[in-house]
Amino acid sequence: MILPRLHRFGAFAAAVLLSASAGRAAPGPAVSLAIIKARVWTGNPQRPWAEALAVQDGRITAVGSNGEIRAVTGPETRIIDAGGCSVLPGLIDAHFHLLDLNTTGGVAPLSLRYMAGKKEFSEAVAAYARTVPPGEWIFGEGWDERKWGGELPTRDWIDGATPRNPVWLLRGRGEAGLANAAALEAAGIGRDTRGSPPEGIVRDRTGLPTGLIWGGPMELMDAVLAERAGEQAGKSSEAIMARLASWGVTSVQHSGNWQELLIFQRLRRENRLLVRIYAAVPLPAWTRLRDYVQAHGRGDAWLRWGALKLFKMSWTQAPVLDRSGRPDRWSSLPTEAEVYGWFEGATLAGLPIMVHAGGFEILKIFNRVNDSVHPRDPRFRIEHAHNVPPEWIRLYAAAHVIASVQPPLLAAFDRGEGGGPPPKDLFPCRRLLDAGVKIVFGTDSVTATPLMSPFEVIALAMARPGPDGRRLTREQCLTAYTRDAAFAEFSEADKGTLEPGKLADLILLDRDLFRSPAETLPSVRVLMTVIDGRIVHEAGSEPGGLR
């Protein structure tokens, strides 16, 4: 394979810019980057193919013929002869975990999910604290006061056992947390600290914080923890982002927790992001996200937030009780009305929702919310939409639900990890597309699977037949990785296709992807990755090195 030639051409006497729609020339400055003699797949169904494109100031300025793009170059234009290889929109991994829940530096978070009372709660924290060096933050999650009758914990439960370590323990749904005295001091929360809303910092009769914090004021605690964990987590995520860029991934959609969002914000402030991030936080804390968006907006083109994630759960008409009439320690399920309230409230607040492995009941809630709230454009999503019976597809289409699919995870069904033979309705992507349902692709890396090249993922998806025997085409797989993935995060006006005016996120491959045998796709190499008009990966150089 002859690799594309990278060189500069001389300037034309007068540089021109192409009209965004009709291809007409108009006077303007020379562009900074031009790729010619390429097989450009734009992702735009109205104009899917072109020979060349031009970039200036982080945006695509023109897409057209070789002659049209040559006409807008100048002495400082970097011109790349692609030699007939493919140029594609930057790929978007629609389900990724750039960080995991371990934000405290190498020690797994303390799980309080099954704590059934004050004594057990306190002893668990004390035992954990004995394993942590002095001064190290202790981060835990999962407690729920309903498992022990409703008494809310206070810092008195844990202060005696944790004099040397700041402690921050999130409630199971993520909308509240418990801090010990050392953590309150580190976050600057005291008698005179104001919260937003004021009742977010719970106080005793004397005005001292009890350690229990709800809603907005949790930002004070999360910011301290994120700062503590930020440097180590930042280095780890930078290495992953560099690898993603070398594989042509220019954006990821990350679902995690508040600390991770704050770490991403730190990386953004320090200009250390190598790929774009769309971040989601837990749905039960939707009121906190609503207030946060009102106060801080939704980010920018590099880091955006405002989405909510819910793990698949069951619910009850009333709280589950044990034989003594108390809430069952093994089941603190929300009521059906409570779950619906989360969906309705978040949708009214304009916060899109994605649900982990949601099934028939979740689809009915989506349709119910559409009928009662009439949202303009909710873009509900179901993650891991792998086993979808035909009757569910009708509900997907009726509620305009986006199906988020991770082809690498299908191997688990093949191995019988679901407890039996593969479901008969596994991977019905062609049926979903026929019904007008958008599909997006992701990997669920790094926590569930090893990092995998998107071209390996596309090869898996193309090779796998659906329940009706039909397979996805290359174009359908690429659309799931580009245009529809951008739509799923409300970014279709800025990325997902190669069109004038859109962000200059694009990749150059080592071959013509559309004329290569399907079995060779896993070996595809990305010669160049461009994000925001900057080269962040170039074959033969260190991945992630900015030019």
Side-chain angles (χ1 to χ4, degrees), residues 78-90:
R78 181 172 187 180
I79 301 180
I80 299 171
D81 182 339
C85 292
S86 289
V87 171
L88 308 174

Side-chain angles (χ1 to χ4, degrees), residues 486-515:
F487 178 87
E489 62 170 80
F490 294 81
S491 295
E492 70 274 15
D494 279 323
K495 61 185 180 182
T497 60
L498 299 178
E499 300 178 72
K502 290 196 173 183
L503 293 167
D505 294 359
L506 56 97
I507 60 177
L508 169 63
L509 307 184
D510 66 348
R511 68 196 70 182
D512 182 344
L513 187 72
F514 292 87
R515 293 172 178 166

Side-chain angles (χ1 to χ4, degrees), residues 311-387:
F311 278 88
K312 181 182 179 181
M313 62 167 60
S314 300
W315 53 82
T316 63
Q317 296 297 324
V320 177
L321 304 179
D322 62 20
R323 292 182 180 179
S324 65
R326 300 179 61 186
D328 191 323
R329 65 170 295 181
W330 302 107
S331 177
S332 61
L333 299 177
T335 64
E336 181 178 3
E338 186 177 12
V339 172
Y340 178 77
W342 299 342
F343 281 81
E344 183 180 55
T347 304
L348 284 169
L351 305 174
I353 299 169
M354 54 185 75
V355 179
H356 173 99
F360 188 71
E361 294 301 320
I362 292 295
L363 288 165
K364 289 199 299 183
I365 286 183
F366 282 151
N367 274 285
R368 181 181 167 195
V369 170
N370 278 330
D371 291 341
S372 62
V373 175
H374 303 293
R376 184 180 62 84
D377 192 8
R379 304 194 193 184
F380 296 126
R381 292 173 53 162
I382 287 184
E383 307 301 304
H384 312 308
H386 300 147
N387 178 27

Side-chain angles (χ1 to χ4, degrees), residues 92-100 240 244 252-256 309 311 356-357 381 383-386 404-410 412 440-452 457 481:
I92 302 170
D93 191 309
H95 189 115
F96 201 86
H97 299 281
L98 197 54
L99 295 172
D100 60 24
I240 296 172
L244 290 172
V252 297
Q253 295 170 9
H254 169 94
S255 57
K309 170 76 177 289
F311 278 88
H356 173 99
R381 292 173 53 162
E383 307 301 304
H384 312 308
H386 300 147
S404 178
V405 178
Q406 297 73 49
L409 300 187
L410 294 171
V440 298
F441 274 178
T443 56
D444 201 17
S445 296
V446 289
T447 57
T449 61
L451 287 173
M452 180 177 285
V457 174
Y481 247 125

